[in-house]
Amino acid sequence: MAAPAATSSALPAEDAMLEPSALPELEAEVMSSNAASEAVLRAVLKQYAFSPKVVKMEVVHRALVKAMTLLPDETFMQCMYLIPDTRHEDGTVAQLNNLAELLQSGNFAQFWELAAEPELRSTLDSFATFDKSIREYVATALEITYRRCPVDVIASALNLPADAAAAFSPAWTRDGAVVAFPARAETEPRDGSLEAPIAYADVAELVKALSH
Amino acid sequence: MAFASGPSSLGFDAGASEVPRAFVRYIEDLVKALKSGHTARALNLYENGRREINAEHFSKKLWPTLEQVNAAVAASSGARLDRGFEAVYQTLWLKHVFMTDMITLPEKDTLSNLVRAWTSYSAFIEECVGPSPMAGYTLPPDWVYDVVNEFVYLFQRFHEERAARFHRRAEAAKSGSEAPAGFEADDALDAAAEGVWDPRAVLALLRRAVLTSGINEQLAAARTKGVRAALAEWRAPEVTQLAGTFALVCLVRVEAKLGDHAAAVEAARFLSPQSSGAFLRVTRAQLSLYSYLGFSLAMLGRFHDAARAISSVLLLVHRASPVLEDGARSSRFMKKTAEKMLALLALCDALSPGAPVDELVRAKATDRFGAKLTGIAAGGTEAEAAIADLFTAATPSFVDASWPPVAPAAEGASAGEQVFAVQSRIFLSAAQARAAELAGIRSLLRLYKTIDVPKLARLAGVTEDRARAGLVALKLHSWQAVASSADAADAASRPALTRAIRDSVHFVVGGEDGSMVASSEARVSEDATRELIRRTVALKRQIGAASPAGRA
């Protein structure tokens, strides 16, 4: 979304989004079906952190749901940092945090199990593309770990029937009970040294010393 | 409202009714030095002259009010102080109140002077970036840094004092008793405090100073044209450059203190450890900036970038002032900050093995925090405790700028402590999970070049599903967002991060049935190359010193 109207048009976008007058538009954006914007999620939660009286918990929940769809970006973690201590006791906030932890720790089957609990499910379903985004994240996590992965592992991770799971990405090739993933830098064999750039300052010091 | 110019019954004397002659001379000398551009003289008067005049005349006394000084200077020289110096004087007056440990104010006067500080410090910064900045005065970089730095301190202090006042009164009301002395209801003070030091206004002012100064454009230009060319083409007045640069440092600091680490990192997107020194000019500013930037990077799980930034800056600063040596004659602030950075570096290095850390800096971190690092490597509860200890040692204080403040979750916790509780809980949960992966699955991958998942699971003492989850988690956590060198080439751009595996242990799961793990451990070549450069430079110096010309 464009930066909401601010009280002063001269304000940079970051400041305009922190103006109290911008809050209704930001909240509407968070509650919309639009894709998550990291800047908007952060601005809403920051406004809430500054003015606890105006907090709407349904907006907080939706912000966390949307932030989860941005994994592996750090947006979810960042959003949690902005939620005040007392609000962490909210049951839905705690459950959403558990879900994010399961995703980040590779426990995908447990994630889908917890996400299926009715109360949480209604919160997650409020953002229509949630499951799709999470499956894309899971697929990426598998692709950076595996070159070939058992179909049953993929099915459980994506919470899909085996055939649908194996065909989740057009770039995947099924080979019996295994799916072959396309080559990626993260799964390519690596030589014996890490990328290790030498700073200009170091080389400059050497050149300077040797040229005197 | 009336600000504390205070009756003597408060335990200190109000601004001297008769301004000491020595003080008038001091002010006149200061004005002269600032006007004539003698920054060394101005800095000496600001640091040493002020200390002497305070010790002699104001050890338990407030400085004279601006009106009193104006009258005294007019009587002495026939001239009045101009707008630029008035802005300077107001901050010096408050610096004496809040930064010298000489003045103890009653509770109520503390808050009223913090309210006043908002007006004075923001006026100073506005003046620095205004159309005719500081009426042409040349202020030393250290002085400008102090003011912008104090601006952040006073912002934090205001919110602490106001929240404490709010909670003390709420507690008293709850128990049906009178509010304690100094915390009584004061409508005038409450009204004056309304909207003051609003975090939005604080951030907006700092950002405006950054924008007006053009510091980001110059930092971006330094990436393409080089630092010298970028500095040479910087057209903003000197004091605007300084205020904007230090506003950038403090913007990173304020965002980190508010817990918005993404904003802190974004604010610093044009900085690089190598070029920042030439722009920042004040070593304390450089150290402060990177301690907060490193902290925010680590809070976002970007351990590799955090370790790289901290290591580079600690090394650069250490070369100029040996902050890493025991007994070094660095300031208390620099030693304390360097110590925090070392703790953070140790933590990042342990959680992201293979991070590019200079060997000298790593050795210092190991000397200082070796026992904690051993604890992390051991895994289990020992690792959890060691991570928590290092985190506490590395963490700055936080600001809770909420209003009205929420009742503390833990009884007696201050506003800042509540923010710390949130930050530490989230970070430690992620960091401890990461340490468990490192001590478990990863340590086995270092031993076996190939191993199948069932055997890996058996050796790790977990189920096969858990082992597969552990492998994915290990990969995900090593797949860190990294700032590329081409990042943010112009001031309008936003940081474009790429993800790359940052771990010296590389592995992939595959094989016929998708159950074979092949791994390899890489050697970090950077340290060896840097070490070669260091030794070559040292050898060259020794040869130079031993030559006849060198001995002469």
Side-chain angles (χ1 to χ4, degrees), chain B residues 64 157 287 346 385:
Chain B
R157 181 92 187 265
L287 215 48

Side-chain angles (χ1 to χ4, degrees), chain A residues 15 18 46 49-50 72 74 78 81 85 101 144-145 147-148 186 188 190 192 195 197 202 209 212, chain B residues 200 207 255 259-262 299-300 425 429 475 479 499 502-503 506 509 511-512 523 526 530 540:
Chain A
D15 296 322
L18 292 181
K46 216 164 169 178
F50 295 160
E74 297 80 17
Q78 175 57 73
Y81 285 136
D85 202 12
E101 282 183 357
I144 63 169
T145 309
R147 288 298 296 269
R148 289 166 64 81
E186 293 84 1
E188 284 294 304
R190 199 163 57 184
E195 174 263 337
D202 291 317
H212 282 292
Chain B
R200 300 168 185 89
R207 244 191 290 272
E255 295 284 21
D260 192 345
H261 304 292
M299 292 299 278
L300 296 174
R425 194 167 51 241
S429 166
K475 206 68 161 180
W479 200 40
R499 283 193 177 268
R502 296 301 185 199
D503 191 340
H506 177 72
V509 189
E512 274 302 298
R523 181 177 57 88
E526 179 180 28
R530 283 229 170 99
K540 171 76 182 168

Side-chain angles (χ1 to χ4, degrees), chain B residues 1-4 108-109 111-113 115-116 186 188-193:
Chain B
M1 70 173 293
F3 291 110
K108 215 160 126 181
D109 288 342
L111 191 63
S112 67
N113 277 292
V115 170
R116 172 189 187 147
D186 182 333
L189 181 56
D190 289 344

Side-chain angles (χ1 to χ4, degrees), chain A residues 10-21 23 38-39 42-43 46-54 70-89 97 101-110 137-138 140-153 156 175 177-179 181 184-212, chain B residues 198-200 203-205 207-208 211 255 258-264 266 269 274 298-302 304 308 315-316 319 353-356 400-410 417-419 421-427 429-430 437 453 465-466 468-473 475-477 479-481 494 497 499-515 520-527 529-530 532-533 536-537 540-541:
Chain A
L11 286 173
E14 298 100 316
D15 296 322
M17 285 206 279
L18 292 181
E19 285 290 304
S21 58
L23 188 58
E38 185 264 353
R42 210 150 40 84
K46 216 164 169 178
Q47 290 239 22
Y48 287 170
F50 295 160
S51 311
K53 272 188 173 171
V54 302
L70 295 177
L71 283 171
D73 282 1
E74 297 80 17
T75 308
F76 186 87
M77 200 179 197
Q78 175 57 73
C79 287
M80 289 297 289
Y81 285 136
L82 289 171
I83 297 173
D85 202 12
T86 46
R87 304 288 183 183
H88 282 242
E89 290 161 9
N97 190 40
E101 282 183 357
L102 290 170
L103 283 177
Q104 289 164 311
S105 59
N107 289 297
F108 303 128
Q110 283 153 278
Y137 163 77
V138 171
T140 306
L142 295 175
E143 280 187 14
I144 63 169
T145 309
Y146 290 86
R147 288 298 296 269
R148 289 166 64 81
C149 185
V151 173
D152 62 335
V153 170
S156 151
D175 179 9
V178 175
V179 167
F181 294 143
R184 299 180 57 121
E186 293 84 1
T187 52
E188 284 294 304
R190 199 163 57 184
D191 65 13
S193 65
L194 290 177
E195 174 263 337
I198 299 301
Y200 171 77
D202 291 317
V203 180
E205 190 179 356
L206 176 64
V207 172
K208 191 175 155 196
L210 294 177
S211 59
H212 282 292
Chain B
D198 184 295
R200 300 168 185 89
L203 291 169
L205 177 58
R207 244 191 290 272
R208 202 158 56 245
L211 272 176
E255 295 284 21
L258 290 170
D260 192 345
H261 304 292
E266 197 175 311
R269 63 192 179 276
Q274 280 69 38
M299 292 299 278
L300 296 174
R302 289 174 59 183
H304 181 92
R308 187 208 297 257
L315 192 65
L316 286 169
R319 281 175 184 157
D400 180 353
S402 62
W403 187 257
V406 180
E417 284 166 353
Q418 288 188 78
V419 182
V422 171
Q423 307 284 312
S424 65
R425 194 167 51 241
I426 297 164
F427 177 84
S429 166
E437 291 155 16
V453 175
D465 284 348
R466 184 69 204 96
R468 285 188 187 275
L471 287 164
V472 172
K475 206 68 161 180
L476 278 172
H477 288 137
W479 200 40
Q480 294 176 24
R494 281 285 172 272
L497 297 174
R499 283 193 177 268
I501 298 292
R502 296 301 185 199
D503 191 340
S504 51
V505 172
H506 177 72
F507 73 91
V508 58
V509 189
E512 274 302 298
D513 62 351
S515 293
S520 61
E521 185 163 14
R523 181 177 57 88
V524 183
S525 61
E526 179 180 28
D527 292 339
T529 315
R530 283 229 170 99
L532 176 66
I533 291 173
T536 311
V537 171
K540 171 76 182 168
R541 282 188 186 137

Side-chain angles (χ1 to χ4, degrees), chain B residues 312-345:
Chain B
S312 304
V313 169
L314 273 180
L315 192 65
L316 286 169
V317 170
H318 180 69
R319 281 175 184 157
S321 168
V323 286
L324 301 177
E325 299 298 344
D326 293 336
R329 292 179 60 198
S330 309
S331 72
R332 200 176 55 176
F333 164 82
M334 290 195 29
K335 279 186 190 161
K336 200 175 144 194
T337 309
E339 175 85 359
K340 275 182 180 292
M341 289 170 86
L342 271 187
L344 186 61
L345 180 82

